[in-house]
Amino acid sequence: MAALTRVVARQRAEMDRLQELAATAAVRERAKGAVMARLGCSPDAAQEELQRRAKAARRTLLEECWLTLGSLTARTAAEPHPSATPPHEGPDEAHPAPDEADSSALARFARALVRVGTPQDLARCVLDRLAADADADAVMLYARLPTGGLELVGHAGIDETLALQWGRVPPLAGIAALETLSTHEARWLEDPAADQERYLLIGGASRWGSRAWLAVGTGEPAEVALGVLRRRTGPFPAAVRAHLQAVARLCAGPLHTFGVRREPAVGAAADAVQTVFDRLPVAAVLLTPVRGPSGAVEDFRIEAVAAGTSDAVGRAGRELRGLRFLECWPTAVDEPLWQGCLKALEGEEPYESEPFARQQSVAGVSELATYAARVARLGDGLVVSWVRHDPSDRQEQRLADVQRLGRLGWATWNLTTGEGNWSAQVYALLERDPAHGPVPLTRLPGFALPEDVPALARAVGELVHEGRPCDVPFRVAARDGVRHLRAVAEAVTDAEGTPVEAHGFLQDVSAQRSAELALLASERAMLTQQGALTAERTVAARLQDALLPLPKEPVRLAGLRVDIAYLPAQSGLNVGGDWFSAIQLPDGDALFVVGDVTGHGLDAVASMALLRFTAKGMVITGSSLTGALSRLNALLLHSRDPHGTATMVLARYSPAGRRLVWAQAGHPPPLLLRSGEARYLERPHGMLLGARDTPRYAEAECLLAPGDRLVLYTDGLVERPGESIDLGLERLARAAAAPHPDGPVPLERLLGALPGPEGRDDVCVLDIQVPLDAAD
């Protein structure tokens, strides 16, 4: 499609180029004819004369041709000798030769004029060129009326309301355009305040800051005035004035060619009609007549077009706006439709054609289609609509496309004679040669795999004998493997209820069946994986319950009250790596341990058990806290998970003197609450376990006082996803120090601010309280 589109684009560009060449050649030939008529010379001599004049005036040949055509009405019967230079050719004081840049702009303007066909087109073309060359914002073309007034025959850059208000101007004094036509001298209105005292300004004094009115052509008196309106104030530079005068002289040629008849007033409604056309499902266009100098309709201009409309070369929709009717459908001039358009334009009755055939280009492919057309008048224009009548072979092609794309085919069987009728797609699905014809319905199970024959035969038997509808899947052996088909059929019975005919369809559901089997296999794999995961979690939970039993009441150790809380990340499954230990040592001291092993599941539980029991054993046997941490680090490095790490806090409390000695390995510091204030103990040096071979650990000491409260915890209590741990530590300190009517804040309140299980890690907390009556 991309390659075809490029080919069509090149063809359209070539067609536009050829049309421009043809139009340019027509202008040159008309100019040659004018010179031949004046000078009585041959075509070659006329061509040489035009070239000589263009060279002498430093103009292009096309510019010279337009100027020659524009001067036809100004010529007298007495023509000069071929060697003489007409008054308007060559440099002189009235029309100085433009500079090179201006010549280039005029040359481009002359080329653009070959595509102009009406005064309205001319106004648009002039504004397109002068918007950049002269900073113009609007253009108006006025033609002199026989009564002495003016008629607006073309405009661009002004709204329709202003155009209607100034469509006709009576022969009044103070009209700059009238003065220009009478004196054949340009009027430069460059001071609105002063100009409005002398002239009646179109649109008021504030709308346009400067205006220029120039006579179109070289004759006297001139018949058309060109108005150039600018929003900016200030004088027109000399170069701009010369350029505008040259443009006005060039405009005389096209106006002499197609006349100055005003276009029908349909343009104001064209946009509204286009909005309606955009929603129409049929092909339709809005046309305005293009008349020649005699007033006869030579063509129609397309003002609005429905989206489904396409011309003979494949252009469609809004691409056709502004083009001519015969340019899009050149053969229509020899068809009844053209005469129907002319009759509908002159009368009030719409025209409706008989069906007719037309060659149509769709997506670059030419096809013959049948249409019926209707033409109705709308104001000064016409609305032409076409309704396409699709032939039966086109309908059959569409049905075949539906069957092919849907991978299905229809079939009918005469149950009395056994004869059948299949579509081509049924033969393709069953891989049967169409030359062999269809098989009776009772022989259809013979195509199925042996495993599916009983079910298909039973369904066919119930359809043939009882008239019961069937919808049964079956498989057939195909060249590309096993194919899954679906047979759907129903019976037609006679007056006595006996099945006499069956019709239905076969559909290839291999892709759907493959997707269902893949989904089923995926579901089974998910169920298996989910069962294994559930079993692992159950084993891990039971193992953790056995290794880390949670006391139901507060624990009393060395004169301290210890509350213990453990909250797993996943409710009901205690399979995390957080753990604690709170025991009485043989010498009467108390040992408190809180740790966190990375990961979850059986591996985390195994590492937790290893560290928990080893730590207790080392301290009981007399190892220091730092020594225990060093050995635990070596143990974790040489465990079965070399990449596993853990954090830990070890604290030993001596009731004599209430002395607490503690060490840590990459763990958050304990929180101390004293006299209603909360602060974190300064952490001694210590790296997390399993990070390196030779870590350094240190101890810190803290003397507790009666009423003190010490909270040991894992990071799940203070960490939240996407949040700094410092914010979590501040939140915990504020919650612990908050006043409570019953004394210290309960442990449940500290845990109440935690996020839900899906947004946090495991949490383990030891809440150690020194009684107020604790002895020294």
Side-chain angles (χ1 to χ4, degrees):
M1 288 298 295
L4 183 60
T5 302
R6 289 193 293 269
V7 171
V8 173
R10 288 196 298 269
Q11 291 176 342
R12 289 177 180 171
E14 180 64 13
M15 181 175 294
D16 292 340
R17 187 184 69 84
L18 293 176
Q19 289 176 345
E20 182 173 350
L21 289 177
T24 303
V27 173
R28 292 175 178 172
E29 291 302 318
R30 285 196 294 267
K32 286 170 57 178
V35 174
M36 291 168 60
R38 291 175 187 162
L39 306 181
C41 61
S42 66
D44 293 338
Q47 175 75 20
E48 293 176 358
E49 175 66 13
L50 288 172
Q51 291 175 343
R52 184 191 65 79
R53 294 176 182 179
K55 183 178 180 180
R58 294 200 304 242
R59 288 190 285 259
T60 64
L61 179 60
L62 186 57
E63 290 179 71
E64 188 64 36
C65 291
W66 282 127
L67 291 173
T68 300
L69 292 175
S71 63
L72 287 177
T73 56
R75 293 294 182 187
T76 62
E79 296 293 343
H81 190 271
S83 62
T85 300
H88 74 280
E89 278 82 349
D92 56 27
E93 293 181 358
H95 305 299
D99 58 22
E100 289 302 322
D102 192 40
S103 297
S104 177
L106 290 175
R108 292 194 299 271
F109 180 60
R111 289 197 299 271
L113 289 178
V114 301
R115 303 304 298 270
V116 169
T118 66
Q120 185 67 24
D121 292 341
L122 179 60
R124 296 191 188 102
C125 182
V126 171
L127 181 59
D128 288 342
R129 300 298 166 176
L130 294 185
D133 299 338
D135 202 18
D137 296 298
V139 167
M140 302 180 76
L141 285 173
Y142 274 110
R144 188 195 301 270
L145 293 173
T147 57
L150 298 176
E151 181 182 22
L152 183 66
V153 295
H155 63 85
I158 66 173
D159 55 68
E160 292 294 335
T161 301
L162 186 63
L164 291 174
Q165 292 172 349
W166 289 84
R168 284 182 178 268
V169 179
L172 301 174
I175 303 297
L178 271 174
E179 289 189 5
T180 297
L181 292 179
S182 300
T183 64
H184 206 278
E185 294 180 357
R187 291 292 184 268
W188 308 98
L189 282 63
E190 300 165 331
D191 186 354
D195 293 335
Q196 68 179 346
E197 297 179 0
R198 179 179 178 184
Y199 296 107
L200 182 60
L201 300 180
I202 296 175
S206 61
R207 190 161 191 173
W208 313 105
S210 55
R211 313 155 193 250
W213 289 98
L214 307 101
V216 175
T218 59
E220 294 184 6
E223 297 298 326
V224 178
L226 169 65
V228 179
L229 293 77
R230 304 190 305 176
R231 291 190 176 88
R232 61 177 297 182
T233 58
F236 291 85
V240 174
R241 288 190 178 193
H243 182 63
L244 293 181
Q245 289 173 333
V247 168
R249 292 196 301 273
L250 284 177
C251 290
L255 287 176
H256 176 78
T257 302
F258 51 69
V260 294
R261 174 181 288 269
R262 189 178 183 182
E263 288 191 69
V266 181
D271 291 339
V273 175
Q274 182 63 59
T275 302
V276 176
F277 277 9
D278 287 341
R279 292 159 176 79
L280 288 180
V282 299
V285 293
L286 173 65
L287 305 177
T288 55
V290 177
R291 301 180 184 270
S294 64
V297 176
E298 296 181 344
D299 205 340
F300 291 89
R301 174 187 171 91
I302 301 176
E303 301 290 349
V305 57
T309 308
S310 60
D311 69 354
V313 297
R315 291 172 295 194
R318 294 187 177 229
E319 289 184 272
L320 304 179
R321 290 190 70 177
L323 301 181
R324 302 296 180 87
F325 184 81
L326 294 181
E327 178 185 353
C328 299
W329 297 279
T331 60
V333 70
D334 299 323
E335 297 174 352
L337 177 60
W338 177 258
Q339 297 300 324
C341 290
L342 298 179
K343 291 179 181 178
L345 185 64
E346 299 299 328
E348 297 295 333
E349 293 295 326
Y351 166 78
E352 296 187 8
S353 73
E354 295 294 330
F356 60 93
R358 172 175 292 172
Q359 201 75 18
Q360 191 76 7
S361 178
V362 179
V365 179
S366 182
E367 62 179 14
L368 191 65
T370 303
Y371 292 86
R374 188 177 191 275
V375 183
R377 185 167 179 174
L378 178 63
D380 294 330
L382 297 175
V383 175
V384 182
S385 58
W386 293 270
V387 177
R388 181 171 177 172
H389 301 282
D390 287 332
S392 57
D393 57 346
R394 180 65 176 169
Q395 295 286 5
E396 292 179 0
Q397 180 61 41
R398 290 179 177 176
L399 180 59
D401 292 340
V402 170
Q403 294 184 71
R404 176 178 53 81
L405 295 175
R407 302 284 295 170
L408 57 86
W410 56 265
T412 60
W413 290 275
N414 187 319
L415 301 182
T416 303
T417 63
E419 297 177 349
N421 186 15
W422 290 359
S423 69
Q425 193 63 27
V426 174
Y427 290 101
L429 295 178
L430 297 178
E431 294 187 353
R432 179 176 173 83
D433 188 352
H436 297 159
V439 300
L441 180 58
T442 54
R443 290 175 51 191
L444 183 62
F447 290 94
L449 294 181
E451 300 87 347
D452 298 340
V453 169
L456 182 57
R458 182 169 56 254
V460 169
E462 293 175 351
L463 174 67
V464 172
H465 300 295
E466 303 175 16
R468 185 178 302 175
C470 71
D471 185 346
V472 56
F474 65 98
R475 294 168 296 170
V476 297
R479 287 187 293 269
D480 56 352
V482 176
R483 181 176 297 165
H484 294 264
L485 302 180
R486 174 191 178 202
V488 179
E490 63 180 5
V492 178
T493 60
D494 58 13
E496 299 178 355
T498 302
V500 294
E501 186 179 83
H503 56 261
F505 64 86
L506 295 182
Q507 184 179 17
D508 186 354
V509 293
S510 299
Q512 177 183 348
R513 184 57 179 164
S514 298
E516 292 175 351
L517 293 176
L519 180 60
L520 180 61
S522 177
E523 290 177 349
R524 288 176 178 174
M526 290 176 59
L527 291 175
T528 302
Q529 185 177 6
Q530 184 177 3
L533 182 59
T534 302
E536 178 182 348
R537 287 178 175 173
T538 302
V539 171
R542 291 179 179 177
L543 179 60
Q544 189 179 52
D545 289 340
L547 298 176
L548 191 65
L550 295 176
K552 299 180 180 179
E553 298 292 337
V555 178
R556 301 286 180 174
L557 295 174
L560 303 176
R561 171 191 168 99
V562 183
D563 288 316
I564 302 172
Y566 182 85
L567 297 176
Q570 297 181 348
S571 179
L573 295 176
N574 301 332
V575 294
D578 290 18
W579 54 277
F580 68 91
S581 184
I583 61 172
Q584 185 95 26
L585 297 176
D587 59 0
D589 291 353
L591 176 66
F592 302 105
V593 187
V594 170
D596 184 3
V597 177
T598 56
H600 291 80
L602 290 176
D603 291 339
V605 173
S607 298
M608 176 270 293
L610 177 66
L611 295 177
R612 182 171 185 263
F613 290 111
T614 303
K616 289 196 300 183
M618 289 181 179
V619 176
I620 289 176
T621 56
S623 177
S624 65
L625 300 183
T626 56
L629 289 176
S630 297
R631 293 180 176 86
L632 291 173
N633 178 75
L635 182 64
L636 194 58
L637 283 174
H638 295 86
S639 65
R640 63 190 184 94
D641 183 8
H643 302 291
T645 58
T647 65
M648 183 184 299
V649 169
L650 287 173
R652 182 167 186 159
Y653 175 75
S654 299
R658 295 188 297 278
R659 177 172 174 267
L660 180 75
V661 178
W662 67 288
Q664 62 87 28
H667 203 84
L671 177 65
L672 176 64
L673 285 85
R674 177 175 292 172
S675 302
E677 296 183 357
R679 68 179 180 88
Y680 289 98
L681 300 183
E682 185 174 353
R683 292 199 312 170
H685 192 278
M687 182 179 294
L688 79 163
L689 303 177
R692 57 181 299 180
D693 294 334
T694 58
R696 182 172 65 88
Y697 299 102
E699 293 181 350
E701 181 178 327
C702 177
L703 298 180
L704 300 181
D708 282 355
R709 184 178 183 185
L710 189 70
V711 180
L712 306 181
Y713 54 90
T714 57
D715 55 7
L717 184 64
V718 293
E719 280 188 341
R720 289 187 180 179
E723 181 183 85
S724 172
I725 192 173
D726 293 335
L727 296 178
L729 293 172
E730 294 176 3
R731 182 171 53 250
L732 176 61
R734 287 196 305 269
H740 193 268
D742 298 330
V745 177
L747 180 58
E748 292 78 7
R749 183 169 176 179
L750 294 181
L751 301 176
L754 289 172
E758 69 283 353
R760 61 170 172 80
D761 198 359
D762 302 327
V763 176
C764 182
V765 180
L766 293 183
D767 185 8
I768 304 170
Q769 301 180 28
V770 182
L772 291 174
D773 56 353
D776 292 336

